[in-house]
Amino acid sequence: MTEPKDTRTVSSRRFYRAEQEAGFADSQSGTLQTRNPAYRLAFLDTDFLLRDELRPVRFQLELLKPEMLLEEANIGSTLVMYGSARIPAPEDCEALLAQATTEEQRAVAERLVAKTKYYEAARSLAHRASTCAVVEKGMRQFVVCSGGGPAIMEAANRGAAEAGAESLGLNIVLPHEQAPNPYVTPRLSFQFHYFALRKLHFLLRARAVAVFPGGYGTLDEFLELLTLVQTGKMKPIPILLYGREFWEKIINFEALADEGVINREDLNLFHWCETAEDGWQKIVEFYDLDCG
């Protein structure tokens, strides 16, 4: 049999690609041996990949897949936006209030509705960053990145979409259903099994982080970011903390310094913000951007 001409060049592959080998395996005639799970190619054997012993491999896959796709999409850096999954969009406020059937539920709903200004602030900040469209060394900078879910996360992706820009959504598999919001760019919509790998990807490319009022998840992400910068594991970046009245109600930052468990200078690791203009100006000043 004569070899095709293109296989006789020095630079041609000498081994088949994995997808070709998988095709060869699928075409094999069925026998007792080939039908047994032991005979499956390891990288096609889902049952094998899901074993506890393969956790390190799954970690590596969740590190590599987003990293490779973001590199291919020419995304050099991100503007990460954290915040509650419960703060409604302005158009959803009436429905949220209507669902409240007790005085307590009504009071909670009213407090959430009062925070809809932060939905609008997140939306506007994302729009500003996306409109600015900073490009450096051929890579797109300050691409909006959210947790991919509803509320503040939706606002971030929505603001980018309204500017005609792509944005990321880093979703996490949870026991209850969580789907990406409709404004996430499909090719930049990722799903994670491991919180650790999701949090890693939030910060690998982050050049600024905006933190809006939120619950346990937002607190976790915000405090971990502060710890990374405080300990020198991560170089300083603009950390924009939105909603001073909210945050000072739930965290007594001054008391931490008074008690000596943090240095007073650590209170300067983040910037208080209320509007999109506040936040974007901090980013512009920090990086000396020509985009006000």
Side-chain angles (χ1 to χ4, degrees):
M1 176 178 173
T2 303
E3 287 285 325
K5 187 174 181 180
D6 63 353
T7 68
R8 296 199 300 272
T9 61
V10 175
S11 60
S12 64
R13 293 178 65 96
R14 306 312 328 156
F15 293 93
Y16 292 107
R17 295 182 183 277
E19 62 267 27
Q20 291 176 294
E21 294 281 6
F24 299 156
D26 287 342
S27 66
Q28 292 175 345
S29 59
T31 66
L32 287 175
Q33 290 75 22
T34 61
R35 287 195 294 268
N36 193 281
Y39 197 73
R40 292 179 195 148
L41 286 168
F43 60 84
L44 294 179
D45 190 342
T46 304
D47 291 335
F48 174 68
L49 289 173
L50 294 179
R51 290 175 58 157
D52 285 347
E53 297 90 338
L54 271 290
R55 184 174 290 115
V57 174
R58 295 196 297 274
F59 262 63
Q60 186 175 23
L61 291 174
E62 287 207 345
L63 171 63
L64 285 173
K65 182 180 178 181
E67 181 66 14
M68 292 168 66
L69 295 182
L70 292 177
E71 188 72 22
E72 290 169 5
N74 289 324
I75 294 177
S77 71
T78 55
L79 165 57
V80 175
M81 302 176 76
Y82 295 141
S84 173
R86 303 184 185 193
I87 294 174
E91 62 269 24
D92 296 330
C93 289
E94 286 188 16
L96 180 64
L97 291 169
Q99 292 171 6
T101 58
T102 67
E103 287 187 13
E104 182 180 0
Q105 290 175 349
R106 178 79 184 187
V108 170
E110 287 175 349
R111 286 193 287 270
L112 286 172
V113 166
K115 293 180 182 63
T116 194
K117 62 183 180 182
Y118 295 117
Y119 181 103
E120 289 294 78
R123 181 178 175 183
S124 181
L125 178 60
H127 191 278
R128 279 176 172 269
S130 300
T131 301
C132 192
V134 178
V135 175
E136 187 176 293
K137 296 182 179 179
M139 303 292 281
R140 292 184 285 161
Q141 310 298 328
F142 303 107
V143 177
V144 170
C145 174
S146 84
I152 294 296
M153 295 173 279
E154 174 190 280
N157 298 114
R158 183 176 182 177
E162 289 169 343
E166 293 190 320
S167 66
L168 287 67
L170 309 185
N171 281 76
I172 186 79
V173 178
L174 298 173
H176 53 276
E177 181 179 356
Q178 190 201 31
N181 70 66
Y183 301 103
V184 179
T185 301
R187 72 172 182 144
L188 301 177
S189 182
F190 301 100
Q191 183 174 213
F192 291 86
H193 171 59
Y194 297 106
F195 264 112
L197 271 297
R198 179 182 185 238
K199 290 161 80 172
L200 175 65
H201 280 292
F202 269 132
L203 297 182
L204 270 179
R205 282 177 164 77
R207 294 301 177 270
V209 176
V211 184
F212 293 84
Y216 286 160
T218 304
L219 274 167
D220 175 42
E221 292 153 345
F222 171 50
L223 294 177
E224 181 171 60
L225 171 58
L226 287 182
T227 302
L228 288 169
V229 177
Q230 180 205 42
T231 58
K233 290 293 288 184
M234 181 178 180
K235 294 178 182 179
I237 61 173
I239 301 173
L240 317 173
L241 190 56
Y242 279 80
R244 187 165 191 162
E245 181 182 359
F246 169 82
W247 288 109
E248 289 192 331
K249 183 187 295 185
I250 63 170
I251 302 177
N252 191 333
F253 295 101
E254 290 289 339
L256 290 172
D258 290 342
E259 294 295 324
V261 293
I262 65 170
N263 295 327
R264 187 152 296 278
E265 309 88 77
D266 294 333
L267 298 176
N268 298 322
L269 294 178
F270 58 86
H271 308 280
W272 292 112
C273 297
E274 290 296 328
T275 68
E277 291 77 10
D278 294 339
W280 184 243
Q281 191 58 36
K282 293 294 183 185
I283 296 172
V284 168
E285 291 171 359
F286 187 94
Y287 292 104
D288 194 23
L289 300 177
D290 185 21
C291 187

